[in-house]
């Protein structure tokens, strides 16, 4: 009988290799592993067959513990075409993009497995995980798999997607990881009760109580400490272990080492009867560190939420109302709005094609730049670009700014440059950790040599806890994250925090002319050449309306949208011109080499658009540009600290006028093609310059992409481009010197925060090595230091922002002005 009991007791202690739950009754024993249910065994077999067993090496028992309680989910409804259209963010009939909410994501093993889905299903092309939001973005080939099969695969491996069709039209808040709150609650409960049981020790009443009560209280403290040791603090140990497996020491390693030493010492004292131990300090340490960690995560979630859903790009779209064309902010588009999209413009929302020849370039989404022809009634997804004549669309879903942000961020630098400061932080943290461990060991050894073991324990543990480099590592993301928000309030929108760092190092600025230094909406035009009849004027205006170039927009304004005839066979060559068939006439408009054979007027401050109809040269439009308000002030301010250059595709007729704004006329370059602009930027960089290129985003994509910082100036047109690092509302062009100054100040705040953090750590070490700080006090100070660092960086950036932009209207006024102008 005793043998049977022993066997049953052993069975009770077996843990499932997949999820870590106890294997009750008779465990399933296969592959030399024990499993608690068929579900866990099935997942293990799937991973083993596909050579994905590394899933278990990243974390112990990483599987979802609720897998055995779930019934097989039914996903037949995902075969429905209407459901598919509501769920997916993009599909072209072959490649489909979808984002699932997966609440079961909880550790690095989950991330690793979900990002290797392509090994489980060959139809899956790629998948990425957003850990904070518990979301997985998956791209799959519809010809090799289906949405239903992908969902069923996720369910089989223990990560069923949460699909709620009733909430599809609502914005989703970031998923909350309740485990953090559970661990915090456990730590608080145990900390409070251990303190209650330790009151006799606090007040020196241990001698009054009988020995058996003292031992009982000690044993109860051990019992209460176990949930903290085995559950609440597990993230610190897991992070430290994962770092060691990757061959590096992270900031959780000294914390884990200190926790281990403190708990081991406490356990020894209580069990040996030589002392009361430090279980109250241990539990309090975990509680306060979890509080600091929760504060950090909540702040990250807030910043991430703002970035995804409140980064309204300064782009607008042409909306057709009562036969008239109006400009409307993209964020204000609604279901049923009728919009006009020109050649090269971005489609900001899911739409239905109503009119025109659509050829949609989905290179932003799929990476393939082959235009896909669409017919009237076809659905066109957000993120596509029209390649051809202007088309009319009807919006069928609300605009997703987060989708536009995702498209923008997915197109990173071609050189895949690492963030220099971030790498410095990693190196500093690594060296810092080694130094901290050495100081802690030296302090502990010194006090042991002095014969004071208790002080040695306190000094060793306090040094490891109080010198956590969290504040050092957090100063960079929090400072620049807040800086992005402040800059956004002034209508400059950055792709990511790296852009601020790169802006701070700029020493050379290159400007495009048309659409950047000039205001297309205020330009004037004069016709030179053979008189055009009404039909020809309408035809040329209609051709020009299909282009988003500033000069084309001026010509298009000659005729109202309702009177413009349709354009077919439209083609536009950047930097040269456009052509198409209108009312049976073959029309070419653009540069002299592309469409003209006449002579220019020789007047200053003008650009020319030459026109040829049915191979007969007719003449040209002379367009006199109007320079932006405050241009002289901007160039004067920038010339004090930066080398200024101008690149223009026009001739040098405006050289004399532009010389008023640029101190060195030798740096004014005209007749530059897009390829010339790109090469010019490369030459500057080869000379060791850090270049900011400011252009309108149309003919400058190559130069913008090549430059260290590509700044697209948006003038009430949908110039959203992944080639740029920042988008500047043209109304805030006069603030460009302030933006660059603020970026330098932001980096200085980071450097100051580094000094403060190092000073704080030096002071903490000074007291800790002398045994003057208890581990519990160190645990309280550590999260407070993190909070104080976040408060300092936030307050400093807010203060600097107010000082730099003190004469600029507030955000409420800016929005009111923009609304008034749009209306």
């Amino acid at each position: 009988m005793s043998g049977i009991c022993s066997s049953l007791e052993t069975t009770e202690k077996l843990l499932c290799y997949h999820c870590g739950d106890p294997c009750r009754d008779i465990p399933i024993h296969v592959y030399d592993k024990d499993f608690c249910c068929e579900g866990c065994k099935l997942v293990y077999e799937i991973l083993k067959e596909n050579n994905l067993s590394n899933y278990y090496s990243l974390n112990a028992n990483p599987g979802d513990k609720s897998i055995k309680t779930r019934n097989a989910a039914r996903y037949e409804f995902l075969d429905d075409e209407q459901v598919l259209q509501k769920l997916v963010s993009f599909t072209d009939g072959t490649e489909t993009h979808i984002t699932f909410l997966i609440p079961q994501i909880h550790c690095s093993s989950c991330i690793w497995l979900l990002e290797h889905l392509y090994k489980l299903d060959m139809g899956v092309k790629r998948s990425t995980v957003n850990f904070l939001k518990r979301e997985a973005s998956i791209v799959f080939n519809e010809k090799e798999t289906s949405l239903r099969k992908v969902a069923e695969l996720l369910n089989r491996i223990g990560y069923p997607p949460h699909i709620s069709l009733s909430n599809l039209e609502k914005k989703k808040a970031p998923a909350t990881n309740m485990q953090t709150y559970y661990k915090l609650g456990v730590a608080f409960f145990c900390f409070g009760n251990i303190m209650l049981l330790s009151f006799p020790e606090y007040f020196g009443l241990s001698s009054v109580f009988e020995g058996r009560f003292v031992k009982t209280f000690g044993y109860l403290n051990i019992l209460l400490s176990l949930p903290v040791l085995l559950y609440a603090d597990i993230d610190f140990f897991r992070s430290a272990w994962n770092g060691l497996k990757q061959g590096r020491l992270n900031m959780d390693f000294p914390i884990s080492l200190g926790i281990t030493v403190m708990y081991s010492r406490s356990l020894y004292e209580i069990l040996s009867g030589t002392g009361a131990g430090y279980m109250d300090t241990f539990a309090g340490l975990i509680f306060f560190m979890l509080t600091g960690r929760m504060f950090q995560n909540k702040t990250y979630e807030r910043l991430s939420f703002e970035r995804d859903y409140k980064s309204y790009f300064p782009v607008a779209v042409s909306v057709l109302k009562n036969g008239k064309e109006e400009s409307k902010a993209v964020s204000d588009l609604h279901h049923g709005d009728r919009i006009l999209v020109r050649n090269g413009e971005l489609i900001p929302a899911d739409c239905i094609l109503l009119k025109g020849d659509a050829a949609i370039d989905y290179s932003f989404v799929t990476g393939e730049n082959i235009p896909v022809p669409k017919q009237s009634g076809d659905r066109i997804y957000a993120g596509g670009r029209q390649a051809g004549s202007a088309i009319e669309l009807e919006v069928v879903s609300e605009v997703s700014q987060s989708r536009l942000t995702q498209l923008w961020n997915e197109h990173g630098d071609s050189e895949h440059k690492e963030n220099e400061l971030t790498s410095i932080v990693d190196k500093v943290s690594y060296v810092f950790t080694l130094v901290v461990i050495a100081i802690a060991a030296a302090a502990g050894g010194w006090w042991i040599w002095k014969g004071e073991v208790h002080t040695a324990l306190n000094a060793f543990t306090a040094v490891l806890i109080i010198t956590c480099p969290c504040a050092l590592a957090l100063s960079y993301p929090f400072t620049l994250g807040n800086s992005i928000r402040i800059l956004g309030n002034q209508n400059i929108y950055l792709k990511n925090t790296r852009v601020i760092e790169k802006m701070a190092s700029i020493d050379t600025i290159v400007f495009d002319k048309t659409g950047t230094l000039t205001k297309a909406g205020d330009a004037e035009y004069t016709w030179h050449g053979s008189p055009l009849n009404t039909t020809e004027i309408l035809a040329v205006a209609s051709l020009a309306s299909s282009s988003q170039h500033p000069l084309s927009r001026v010509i298009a304004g000659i005729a109202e949208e309702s009177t413009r005839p349709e354009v077919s066979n439209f083609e536009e060559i950047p930097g040269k011109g456009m052509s198409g068939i209108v009312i049976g006439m073959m029309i070419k408009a653009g540069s002299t080499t592309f469409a003209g054979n006449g002579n220019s007027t020789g007047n200053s401050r003008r650009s020319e658009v030459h026109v040829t109809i049915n191979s007969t040269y007719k003449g040209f439009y002379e367009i006199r540009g109007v320079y932006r308000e405050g241009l002289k002030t901007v160039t004067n301010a920038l010339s004090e600290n930066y080398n200024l250059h101008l690149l223009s595709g026009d001739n040098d007729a405006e050289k004399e006028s532009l010389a008023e704004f640029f101190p060195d006329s030798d740096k004014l370059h005209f007749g530059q093609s897009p390829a010339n602009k790109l090469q010019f930027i490369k030459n500057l960089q080869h000379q060791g310059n850090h270049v900011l290129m400011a252009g309108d985003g149309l003919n400058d994509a190559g130069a913008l992409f090549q430059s260290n910082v590509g700044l697209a100036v948006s003038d009430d047109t949908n110039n959203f481009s992944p080639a740029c690092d920042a988008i500047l509302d043209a109304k805030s062009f006069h603030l460009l010197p302030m933006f660059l100054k603020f970026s330098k100040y932001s980096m200085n705040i980071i450097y100051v925060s580094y000094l403060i953090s190092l000073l704080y750590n030096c002071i903490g070490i000074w007291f800790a090595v002398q045994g003057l700080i208890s581990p519990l006090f160190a645990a309280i100070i550590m999260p407070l230091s993190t909070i104080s660092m976040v408060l300092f960086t936030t307050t400093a950036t807010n203060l600097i922002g107010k000082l730099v932009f003190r004469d600029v209207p507030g955000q409420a006024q800016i929005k009111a002005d923009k609304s008034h102008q749009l209306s």
Side-chain angles (χ1 to χ4, degrees):
M1 178 67 95
S2 61
I4 296 176
C5 292
S6 175
S7 176
L8 289 174
E9 186 176 352
T10 302
T11 302
E12 286 290 338
K13 293 180 180 180
L14 290 176
L15 299 180
C16 178
Y17 182 72
H18 177 73
C19 71
D21 275 3
C23 297
R24 294 182 175 85
D25 302 325
I26 300 176
I28 301 172
H29 186 80
V30 291
Y31 310 108
D32 295 327
K33 306 288 189 301
D34 294 298
F35 300 95
C36 62
C37 64
E38 287 291 339
C40 290
K41 180 177 79 72
L42 176 62
V43 174
Y44 175 81
E45 289 174 341
I46 294 173
L47 300 183
K48 183 178 177 62
E49 289 173 3
N50 291 275
N51 298 318
L52 292 175
S53 298
N54 284 343
Y55 172 72
Y56 297 98
S57 64
L58 297 176
N59 296 280
N61 313 120
D64 176 25
K65 299 179 186 302
S66 61
I67 188 171
K68 55 184 170 292
T69 63
R70 291 196 310 266
N71 295 322
R74 300 180 64 86
Y75 295 102
E76 291 90 344
F77 67 94
L78 295 180
D79 289 332
D80 189 298
E81 186 64 27
Q82 294 183 350
V83 173
L84 183 70
Q85 289 187 0
K86 289 183 179 181
L87 285 174
V88 302
S89 57
F90 168 81
T91 181
D92 60 2
T94 301
E95 183 173 302
T96 299
H97 297 215
I98 187 167
T99 299
F100 282 126
L101 174 64
I102 302 181
Q104 286 73 22
I105 297 175
H106 66 280
C107 68
S108 57
S109 288
C110 304
I111 299 174
W112 183 88
L113 177 58
L114 291 173
E115 292 189 345
H116 284 76
L117 281 181
Y118 62 89
K119 291 189 175 182
L120 298 176
D121 187 335
M122 299 304 294
V124 175
K125 299 306 177 186
R126 62 180 181 273
S127 54
T128 56
V129 175
N130 185 321
F131 182 75
L132 282 178
K133 295 183 179 181
R134 305 294 189 268
E135 289 180 347
S137 298
I138 301 172
V139 178
F140 64 91
N141 189 323
E142 285 191 6
K143 295 181 179 179
E144 299 179 20
T145 187
S146 65
L147 180 61
R148 174 183 173 182
K149 291 180 179 178
V150 171
E152 289 174 343
L153 170 63
L154 290 170
N155 181 68
R156 264 199 328 273
I157 63 175
Y159 296 94
H162 176 72
I163 303 174
S164 177
L165 294 178
S166 61
N167 296 328
L168 284 178
E169 304 301 327
K170 300 179 181 178
K171 290 183 178 180
K172 294 183 295 184
T176 301
N177 184 10
M178 296 305 297
Q179 289 293 325
T180 303
Y181 296 100
Y182 297 153
K183 292 173 182 176
L184 189 65
V186 168
F188 177 73
F189 172 81
C190 296
F191 174 45
N193 282 279
I194 291 174
M195 286 187 66
L196 286 176
L197 294 174
S198 301
F199 272 150
E201 190 70 28
Y202 297 154
F203 296 106
L205 301 177
S206 299
S207 58
V208 177
F209 290 88
E210 294 183 17
R212 57 192 178 94
F213 284 108
V214 174
K215 287 185 177 180
T216 300
F217 289 164
Y219 296 152
L220 288 175
N221 282 344
I222 293 177
L223 186 62
L224 286 168
S225 70
L226 289 177
V228 181
L229 177 69
L230 301 178
Y231 176 66
D233 66 355
I234 197 66
D235 288 339
F236 299 105
F237 288 97
R238 180 183 290 129
S239 174
W241 176 244
N242 289 339
L244 286 176
K245 286 195 295 185
Q246 297 173 17
R248 60 184 179 87
L249 297 178
N250 57 28
M251 63 181 65
D252 285 325
F253 180 80
I255 295 176
S256 302
L257 185 60
I259 291 172
T260 302
V261 172
M262 181 189 300
Y263 191 84
S264 301
R265 174 70 181 182
S266 301
L267 200 62
Y268 168 76
E269 287 191 2
I270 294 174
L271 295 178
S272 65
T274 57
Y278 312 96
M279 291 303 181
D280 52 344
T281 303
F282 162 74
L285 169 68
I286 302 303
F287 170 71
F288 287 113
M289 286 196 300
L290 285 175
T291 302
R293 189 67 57 95
M294 183 184 69
F295 171 80
Q296 171 186 330
N297 290 339
K298 292 298 292 183
T299 308
Y300 269 132
E301 286 180 8
R302 181 183 63 82
L303 289 175
S304 175
F305 187 79
E306 281 190 358
R307 178 62 183 154
D308 287 344
Y309 291 90
K310 298 182 181 178
S311 295
Y312 295 110
F313 300 133
V315 290
V317 68
S318 297
V319 177
L320 300 177
K321 277 191 176 181
N322 301 322
K324 293 185 178 180
E325 182 180 331
E326 300 177 1
S327 181
K328 189 174 186 180
V330 170
S331 55
D332 294 332
L333 281 180
H334 299 292
H335 183 280
D337 282 347
R338 194 163 180 161
I339 64 176
L340 181 69
V341 176
R342 298 176 175 82
N343 177 53
E345 285 189 337
L346 178 80
I347 298 170
D350 292 352
C351 301
I352 295 295
L353 178 62
L354 298 179
K355 182 180 178 182
D357 297 325
I360 308 302
D361 177 3
Y362 280 120
S363 58
F364 279 20
V365 185
T366 65
E368 298 291 337
N369 57 3
I370 301 175
V372 179
K374 295 290 183 180
Q375 298 178 349
S376 179
D378 286 350
R379 186 184 184 98
I380 301 177
Y381 289 91
R385 272 190 185 277
Q386 164 64 352
S389 57
I391 56 176
E392 292 183 17
L393 305 164
E394 182 178 324
V395 177
V396 296
S397 66
E398 297 296 323
V399 176
S400 174
Q401 297 283 174
S402 60
R403 176 61 177 161
L404 298 184
T405 308
Q406 182 183 5
L407 289 175
W408 195 17
N409 288 334
E410 281 179 352
H411 291 75
D413 297 339
S414 59
E415 299 177 7
H416 301 286
K417 297 178 182 177
E418 292 185 356
N419 187 302
E420 192 171 315
L421 263 182
T422 302
S423 64
I424 291 175
V425 170
D426 292 338
K427 292 176 182 177
V428 169
S429 297
Y430 175 76
V431 174
F432 188 79
T433 300
L434 291 177
V435 172
V436 166
I437 293 174
I439 293 175
W446 167 262
W447 287 111
I448 289 176
W449 182 72
K450 297 280 287 185
E452 300 186 26
V453 178
H454 176 78
T455 305
L457 175 64
N458 275 349
F460 179 81
T461 309
V463 168
L464 292 175
I465 300 303
I466 203 171
T467 54
C468 172
C470 295
L472 188 71
L474 290 178
S475 58
Y476 181 90
F478 279 98
T479 300
L480 299 190
N482 194 38
S483 296
I484 280 185
R485 180 188 61 81
I486 293 172
L487 290 173
N489 289 339
Q490 302 301 332
N491 291 338
I492 181 171
Y493 305 83
L494 309 185
K495 179 179 288 189
N496 49 49
T497 56
R498 294 195 304 272
V499 179
I500 299 180
E501 178 190 351
K502 292 190 288 187
M503 284 175 63
S505 64
I506 292 299
D507 53 40
T508 302
I509 300 177
V510 178
F511 290 101
D512 174 51
K513 181 179 73 70
T514 306
T516 304
L517 301 184
T518 61
K519 298 173 65 176
D522 294 340
E524 301 174 351
Y525 65 89
T526 302
W527 172 254
H528 298 271
S530 303
L532 300 177
N533 59 40
T534 303
T535 302
E536 290 174 333
I537 292 174
L538 290 176
V540 174
S542 184
L543 178 70
S545 69
S546 295
S547 169
Q548 58 175 333
H549 193 280
L551 299 183
S552 300
R553 301 295 293 276
V554 174
I555 299 173
I558 297 173
E560 292 186 0
E561 196 279 331
S562 59
T563 64
R564 300 172 193 159
E566 294 185 11
V567 181
S568 61
N569 296 340
F570 179 85
E571 183 180 6
E572 184 171 15
I573 302 176
K576 293 185 178 181
M578 55 190 166
S579 62
I581 298 176
V582 188
I583 322 178
M585 295 182 290
M586 179 63 191
I587 302 176
K588 298 177 71 175
S591 64
T592 322
T593 56
F594 180 76
N597 56 12
N599 297 319
S600 63
T601 63
N603 293 334
S604 62
R605 297 195 64 182
R606 60 93 175 82
S607 297
E608 298 172 354
V609 177
H610 297 259
V611 177
T612 296
I613 300 179
N614 291 331
S615 301
T616 302
Y617 178 75
K618 293 293 186 178
F620 64 91
Y621 284 98
E622 175 191 340
I623 300 176
R624 295 171 293 279
V626 177
Y627 297 125
R628 296 195 183 279
E629 297 176 4
L631 177 59
K632 181 66 174 176
T633 304
V634 170
T635 54
N636 284 345
L638 293 176
S639 62
E640 296 178 2
N641 303 299
Y642 303 94
N643 296 318
L644 303 185
H645 296 265
L646 173 73
L647 298 179
S648 174
D650 298 330
N651 55 41
D652 61 354
E654 294 189 48
K655 185 173 183 179
E656 183 178 344
S657 301
L658 288 167
E660 300 176 9
F661 304 103
F662 291 84
D664 189 351
S665 59
D666 293 335
K667 295 182 179 179
L668 304 179
H669 308 275
F670 298 91
Q672 300 291 307
S673 67
N676 294 144
K677 294 178 182 180
L678 173 61
Q679 188 59 47
F680 187 86
I681 298 296
K682 288 183 177 180
N683 292 339
L684 288 175
Q685 291 173 330
H686 289 159
Q687 296 170 15
N689 296 306
H690 293 82
V691 184
L692 181 147
M693 170 69 184
D696 61 3
L698 301 177
N699 300 328
D700 312 315
L704 288 172
F705 195 72
Q706 176 63 36
S707 58
N708 299 90
V709 176
L711 179 66
V713 180
S714 175
D715 208 345
D716 283 339
T717 183
N718 203 351
N719 287 352
F720 175 79
S721 170
C724 62
D725 298 296
I727 304 175
L728 172 62
D729 192 320
K731 299 179 182 64
S732 297
F733 179 80
H734 63 287
L735 300 179
L736 183 56
M738 297 183 186
F739 295 145
L740 295 172
K741 182 185 294 185
F742 180 72
S743 66
K744 291 182 180 293
Y745 286 149
S746 296
M747 298 308 299
N748 289 337
I749 290 173
I750 293 175
Y751 300 142
V752 172
S753 66
Y754 283 177
L755 292 176
I756 294 175
S757 179
L758 290 173
L759 179 62
Y760 157 79
N761 282 307
C762 289
I763 295 173
I765 288 174
W766 173 258
F767 287 100
V769 296
Q770 299 180 71
L772 301 177
I773 296 179
S774 68
L776 178 60
F777 184 73
I780 297 173
I781 291 295
M782 188 196 69
L784 288 179
S785 71
T786 302
I787 294 172
S788 64
M789 187 58 61
V790 171
L791 291 177
F792 166 74
T793 56
T794 303
T795 303
T797 49
N798 287 339
L799 179 60
I800 293 298
K802 289 181 179 179
L803 291 175
V804 172
F805 303 109
R806 61 180 178 273
D807 297 326
V808 179
Q811 181 67 1
Q813 183 63 41
I814 291 173
K815 288 183 178 179
D817 292 344
K818 184 181 292 186
S819 218
H820 174 71
Q821 289 163 358
L822 287 172
S823 63

